[in-house]
Amino acid sequence: MIRTHDAGSLRAADAGVTVTLAGWVARRRDHGGVTFVDLRDASGLVQVVFREGAPAQAAHQLRNEYCVRVTGTVGPRPPGNENPELPTGAIEVTATALEVLSESAPLPLPVDDHIDAGDDIRLRYRYLDLRRSGPAAALRLRSAANRIARTVLDRRRFVEVETPTLTRSTPEGARDFLVPVRLQPGSWYALPQSPQLFKQLLMVAGLERYYQIARCYRDEDFRADRQPEFTQLDIEMSFVTQDDVIELTEEIVGGLWRELAGHEIQRPVPRLTWHEALARYGSDKPDLRYGVELTELTEYLRGTGFRVFETAIAAGGYVGAVVMPGGAAQTRKELDGWQDWAKARGARGLAYVVLDADTGEPRGPVAKNLPAGHLAGLADAVGAKPGDAVFFAAAGVRREAQELLGAARVEIARRTGLADPDAWTFCWIVDAPMFEPADPALGGTGWSPVHHPFTAPTAGWIDRFEEAPGEALAYAYDIVCNGNEIGGGSIRIHRADVQRRVFDLLGITPAEANDKFGFLLEAFKYGPPPHGGIALGWDRICMLLAGEDSIREVIAFPKTRGGYDPLTGAPTRITAQQRAEAGVDAKPKQEAAPGT
RNA sequence: GGUCCUGUGGAGCAGUUGGAGUGCUCGCCGCCCUGUCAAGGCGGAGGUCGCGGGUUCAAGUCCCGUCAGGACCGCCA
């Protein structure tokens, strides 16, 4: 090493030691006769003092982010000049030699913890952005998270296995990223949406305990918590029950929050059934930092004559409500704003009743449409107090109305500041349905898998899920933190007969199944063990631990919303020669027969 | 595919009722300065107000389109 010490490590005990440091000029304070330079390296900052001689002359020429090597003597700062804000604030290094290792051009982006630039400029100069303490800490935190997970898994004798990133297109789920294959023009690899099928093959292979910090790819639109390439901590285990996977996951998540957030998670983490979560919170990933639970009013509001409610009830649907504490104090404009909010989500509107703060009397347009009898008991029915507002949703499809109320619940919490930003709440969502009605808009008929088609039905449903597909439950489980789904998994089907029945219900013929998953079904002929696993959303988990609002903050080189990387300029056009070689335009000679 | 927010010297912002490219903080260049720590003082340079069109005597400001960044809905087994 060309240095003897880390700048951020120096303390009062080092006084008198001659050190050589190497790093960057974080800031220069030039007083003419004396110059202070904050020297930053990966370990932190230390103040270097230039007082006389050639080094002091040269120090006048230093500029921010010059890369320098300094030799000097550590000494206590003069009394009264200590800086308690800095870990190294008790001492300073008096320079005896200065070497400029490289100069820096004027910065396009200030390397300064106090200023936050726009995303495009930060990403274009990400290497400068990462010199700042916040972004640098986020990457170090992520590294620590990897270490913590690996330690737990290694202790339990898991095997880390890498699976292909050039693989076969999967027929369902998200859109695949495709890669042309030069050696077979007209044929394409897909980048994996997850290592799902490979990890099941590894169970057939007898590894019993597999994990991988796996890069996954999905060609869908982005969000603050979604990038086209993202990372899962992917885990699969043989001879386990749902409880075993949950226990392991709690061990990992518990370790992460203990070490990286200083928070001890209460275990076991509470479990909610999927139906309970929808009924109480209108979401399969409820934020439990606050109450504001939903109330079903389908029975209570029967026979009001109010068209919106009557139609939903007559269709065998759902009417429910959620209470906004203090919501009666909203202006007419704010209440109208809720209608726009609901319409933006595809709903017709959001009916509401406000309860007079003094008298508790129900008011508002909907109140005029409800019979006095129904109005009188409304506050008690929904648990509202005078001064509150009650929002209603009604739909022929239960989940639709519940999810609108669930979204309203989150919005109420946001507008009234109900969510404690320092709180951590976790829960498992278990007993998810196996199937949901296929979306006709996507050309579907019959049933679609809620999770994926290899998810095992629960013991109670394994022999009769065909009797009521919409009610059948699966051994599927999601772990949720503060309203974010941070992981999900399932016990898989390992019996050929059960798998065939699931495919039958999904309308997948044996020929189609063979075409799509033939290699997996083939493998399952040879004594597949019962198995199950989970995938943890690693970017989201690191984002939460870092206290950030976007997974971009915990990815070294993220892309913008348009899939563009301002740093490298990717994606780019390709040359005619590349295009010809890649075989992008090749036409398949003959349609391959199914099963080949 | 849809809704919304943002775009003003290198960075972050302000810019009123449409009235001169006006202003603030930082950075940059020059000079001064021996205890600062987001140092300070004096002086200076730096602008296609994202781009295109329209309305107007006059547009950073109003209208339409477009591009870029962001948030959300759809989508994401």
Side-chain angles (χ1 to χ4, degrees), chain A residues 276-299:
Chain A
E276 188 182 3
L278 262 292
R280 292 174 60 188
Y281 305 104
S283 170
D284 58 5
K285 46 175 182 172
D287 190 338
L288 301 184
R289 284 177 295 176
Y290 45 89
V292 194
E293 294 190 23
L294 280 48
T295 307
E296 173 161 11
L297 298 170
T298 313
E299 289 309 314

Side-chain angles (χ1 to χ4, degrees), chain A residues 141-150 152 233 249-265 424 426 486 536-538 540-542 545-546:
Chain A
L141 178 142
R142 185 169 180 140
S143 172
N146 291 356
R147 172 181 53 77
I148 291 162
R150 283 197 167 103
V152 171
L233 174 59
T249 304
E250 291 185 6
E251 181 75 15
I252 294 169
V253 173
L256 291 173
W257 259 263
R258 185 183 309 117
E259 287 195 46
L260 301 178
H263 175 78
E264 194 66 35
I265 297 173
W424 295 113
F426 294 83
I486 59 172
L536 296 173
W538 214 235
R540 280 183 198 171
I541 285 174
C542 292
L545 288 168

Side-chain angles (χ1 to χ4, degrees), chain A residues 26 37 51 58 65 70 134 145 163 169 188 239 243 245 248 308 347 365 391 438 443 457 473 478 497 502 518:
Chain A
V37 167
R51 230 185 288 277
E65 299 309 317
V70 171
T163 54
S169 180
W188 300 69
F239 309 115
D243 286 342
V245 181
L248 171 72
V308 177
F391 292 107
L473 302 178
D478 287 349
D497 61 320
V502 169

Side-chain angles (χ1 to χ4, degrees), chain A residues 184-258:
Chain A
Q184 295 177 44
S187 292
W188 300 69
Y189 291 118
L191 304 183
Q193 296 183 23
S194 77
Q196 179 64 36
L197 300 180
F198 287 110
K199 70 177 177 177
Q200 293 194 244
L201 293 173
L202 290 171
M203 294 302 101
V204 178
L207 264 80
E208 295 203 15
R209 284 176 294 275
Y210 144 90
Y211 81 96
Q212 179 181 193
I213 297 175
R215 191 65 60 83
C216 307
Y217 306 87
R218 292 179 190 173
D219 186 9
E220 298 292 347
D221 288 0
F222 307 173
R223 286 284 191 284
D225 61 354
R226 289 191 340 223
Q227 285 264 304
E229 52 181 317
F230 62 99
T231 303
Q232 292 181 342
L233 174 59
D234 195 45
I235 294 171
E236 196 77 3
M237 309 160 74
S238 292
F239 309 115
V240 291
T241 64
Q242 170 171 298
D243 286 342
D244 296 311
V245 181
I246 284 177
E247 188 275 332
L248 171 72
T249 304
E250 291 185 6
E251 181 75 15
I252 294 169
V253 173
L256 291 173
W257 259 263
R258 185 183 309 117

Side-chain angles (χ1 to χ4, degrees), chain A residues 1-84:
Chain A
M1 289 291 282
I2 66 169
R3 66 172 160 225
T4 61
H5 291 73
D6 291 331
S9 71
L10 299 174
R11 295 292 183 274
D14 297 304
V17 176
T18 296
V19 299
T20 299
L21 307 173
W24 288 267
V25 174
R27 210 173 284 280
R28 182 181 59 112
R29 293 175 294 277
D30 190 342
H31 290 230
V34 61
T35 300
F36 302 97
V37 167
D38 289 340
L39 184 76
R40 183 195 67 240
D41 65 19
S43 65
L45 281 179
V46 72
Q47 173 167 285
V48 178
V49 189
F50 294 87
R51 230 185 288 277
E52 52 199 18
Q57 287 305 308
H60 294 306
Q61 310 307 317
L62 293 177
R63 294 293 181 271
N64 282 347
E65 299 309 317
Y66 274 33
C67 187
V68 295
R69 177 157 78 154
V70 171
T71 299
T73 307
V74 180
R77 295 192 182 189
N81 283 283
E82 302 86 356
N83 185 348

